[in-house]
Amino acid sequence: TYTTDTKSREENKKTIESLYSLSVDVKKIRRLKEWVLLQDVAYVKEVAGILQEMGADEPAVASILERCPEAILHTPAEVNSQRTLWQLVCQNEKQLIKLIEQFPESFFTTEYHENQKANILFFQELGLKNNIITRFLTSAPTIFYNPVEKNKNVIEELQRNYLSLGGSDANMKIWILKLLSQNPFILLNSSTAIQENLEFLQKNDFTDHEVLQLLSKLKGFIFQLTPTTMQKSMLFSKNIFKCSDQELKQLVLKCPALLYYSVPVLEERLEGLLKEGISVAQIRETPMVLELTTQIVQYRIKKLSALGYDIKSGTLESLNGTKKDFEVNYGKIQSKKERPIFNPVPPLNIED
């Protein structure tokens, strides 16, 4: 930890000069993390040298140090250890320096070096591809700060649950790897939290097969919920759609977002749909429309209306899906509208 008491300290002139010589915008560092410039010891030239060795040009080095000035407080030995570690999953130094340029803070977090190393090796043993592990290192670095035992325990808990819910041994590895690839943050949950959420679903009459189905559909996000939030969301949906427990269960299986989104989010989206003249009955028929934000719904309705498509009297299916799904549906409606009703080419007169 570095001192952040800035009142009694002066900027380190040697650090400032070294940064200027590398064309680094020192004003930017002063504004964002001035405390870095106050440290008695810094390794500006050494860290820059290692980055250049890996293939970073001057603008890239300057950009890395501006965005993550604390990089200069790490010893060359620490930076080189991190370099060796990330090379375990990078194809070459060109890819490595590109990642450091994009995610300097992830690379220069060296305090958890031993945990990072043990977790990288564990993920490789588990069967995760290196490109997935590099994605984790940059977008979910916190999962590497856990001791490897903690991550192993969560994986083992997931495997036990998968098998107890009727999943097969043959498919378990594929299921775990897919779940992790979709949502690495499940590793930040405790085994207890995972257990509680699954028990909540079982108490609400979801069969083992249905719980497994929900886990796959929700891409592991179910583990970031709590029984309390799920209960509130389900109660909200039950009141809005005026349905029985069995009907509610079918709606949730059709649209797991009813379980995942909090009540305020569901309320806002429902309100947005009703304002557009869509009825609760239509939403109940196609609940997946609640997965879309109000802005997306408004944009899609506007585009369809321009084609003369009346969403109030039609089905909401045409609003659904990803951006790509919508564009395909929109294209079909458009070509249908443009297709002439009669054949403009007169039939050939056979007698002629």
Side-chain angles (χ1 to χ4, degrees), residues 4 20 37 51 94 101 116-117 133 137 150-151 162 177 193 197 203 207 224 229 234 238 271 282 302 308 331:
T4 52
Y20 274 132
L37 305 173
L51 292 171
K94 191 181 174 185
E101 279 181 63
Q116 285 181 326
K117 186 176 182 177
I133 300 173
L137 277 168
K150 157 87 170 68
N151 286 341
Y162 178 76
L177 294 180
N197 285 354
K203 279 176 193 165
T207 65
Q224 284 160 245
T229 56
M234 282 174 75
K238 191 179 177 181
E271 215 172 282
Q282 280 177 296
K302 204 173 173 183

Side-chain angles (χ1 to χ4, degrees), residues 201-247:
L201 293 172
Q202 286 166 323
K203 279 176 193 165
N204 278 274
D205 292 330
F206 285 92
T207 65
D208 288 353
H209 175 70
E210 287 166 346
V211 173
L212 213 49
Q213 204 181 319
L214 278 173
L215 295 191
S216 302
K217 277 190 175 181
L218 279 167
K219 301 177 181 175
F221 289 111
I222 193 166
F223 300 128
Q224 284 160 245
L225 304 172
T226 65
T228 313
T229 56
M230 289 192 280
Q231 183 71 59
K232 284 179 180 170
S233 297
M234 282 174 75
L235 196 60
F236 173 78
S237 299
K238 191 179 177 181
N239 291 336
I240 288 297
F241 297 123
K242 297 182 173 48
C243 56
S244 68
D245 288 345
Q246 189 55 34
E247 287 168 330

Side-chain angles (χ1 to χ4, degrees), residues 71-346:
I72 63 172
L73 303 178
H74 292 294
T75 65
E78 285 173 333
V79 177
N80 274 321
S81 290
Q82 207 61 351
R83 174 185 181 177
T84 306
L85 182 63
W86 281 46
Q87 279 172 332
L88 291 174
V89 287
C90 286
Q91 293 166 352
N92 48 42
E93 295 218 308
K94 191 181 174 185
Q95 188 200 5
L96 175 53
I97 199 67
K98 199 176 172 186
L99 286 174
I100 298 171
E101 279 181 63
Q102 290 174 296
F103 308 95
E105 287 184 350
S106 299
F107 179 79
F108 287 105
T109 302
T110 63
E111 295 89 323
Y112 306 95
H113 183 81
E114 287 311 311
N115 283 357
Q116 285 181 326
K117 186 176 182 177
N119 278 307
I120 285 174
L121 296 173
F122 167 59
F123 291 143
Q124 285 178 327
E125 278 167 32
L126 203 60
L128 277 172
K129 290 191 167 70
N130 283 342
N131 63 329
I132 303 285
I133 300 173
T134 53
R135 200 181 80 216
F136 289 178
L137 277 168
T138 52
S139 61
T142 45
I143 68 170
F144 292 88
Y145 307 162
N146 283 339
V148 72
E149 288 72 28
K150 157 87 170 68
N151 286 341
K152 277 183 180 172
N153 287 343
V154 174
I155 295 292
E156 282 164 13
E157 181 66 25
L158 287 168
Q159 288 172 330
R160 269 195 301 276
N161 281 304
Y162 178 76
L163 293 174
S164 72
L165 291 167
S168 70
D169 265 318
N171 292 330
M172 183 172 69
K173 188 181 176 182
I174 296 166
W175 183 79
I176 287 284
L177 294 180
K178 193 176 177 186
L179 202 61
L180 265 180
S181 307
Q182 290 170 331
N183 182 15
F185 294 105
I186 54 175
L187 292 171
L188 300 180
N189 297 298
S190 68
S191 305
T192 321
I194 291 172
Q195 199 56 48
E196 281 175 359
N197 285 354
L198 295 179
E199 280 171 10
F200 167 81
L201 293 172
Q202 286 166 323
K203 279 176 193 165
N204 278 274
D205 292 330
F206 285 92
T207 65
D208 288 353
H209 175 70
E210 287 166 346
V211 173
L212 213 49
Q213 204 181 319
L214 278 173
L215 295 191
S216 302
K217 277 190 175 181
L218 279 167
K219 301 177 181 175
F221 289 111
I222 193 166
F223 300 128
Q224 284 160 245
L225 304 172
T226 65
T228 313
T229 56
M230 289 192 280
Q231 183 71 59
K232 284 179 180 170
S233 297
M234 282 174 75
L235 196 60
F236 173 78
S237 299
K238 191 179 177 181
N239 291 336
I240 288 297
F241 297 123
K242 297 182 173 48
C243 56
S244 68
D245 288 345
Q246 189 55 34
E247 287 168 330
L248 176 65
K249 199 177 83 162
Q250 292 311 314
L251 283 173
V252 168
L253 288 169
K254 206 173 176 185
C255 174
L258 296 176
L259 197 66
Y260 177 67
Y261 289 121
S262 65
V263 171
V265 170
L266 290 172
E267 257 175 340
E268 185 212 338
R269 292 187 178 184
L270 190 81
E271 215 172 282
L273 289 163
L274 297 176
K275 271 184 187 167
E276 295 293 333
I278 291 164
S279 69
V280 171
Q282 280 177 296
I283 300 166
R284 182 175 166 169
E285 197 59 41
T286 316
M288 292 79 76
V289 77
L290 289 167
E291 291 172 3
L292 306 169
T293 65
T294 306
Q295 290 78 3
I296 291 173
V297 166
Q298 286 169 342
Y299 166 77
R300 291 183 181 183
I301 288 175
K302 204 173 173 183
K303 278 198 84 169
L304 290 169
S305 297
L307 292 180
Y309 186 90
D310 183 13
I311 205 76
K312 292 170 207 170
S313 58
T315 168
L316 301 186
E317 287 292 341
S318 46
L319 284 179
N320 268 346
T322 59
K323 187 180 178 185
K324 194 179 174 183
D325 295 335
F326 174 72
E327 293 301 337
V328 169
N329 279 334
Y330 177 78
K332 283 178 186 171
I333 294 167
Q334 194 175 30
S335 60
K336 209 173 182 181
K337 188 177 184 294
E338 287 167 359
R339 200 179 298 137
I341 295 162
F342 62 93
N343 184 358
V345 181

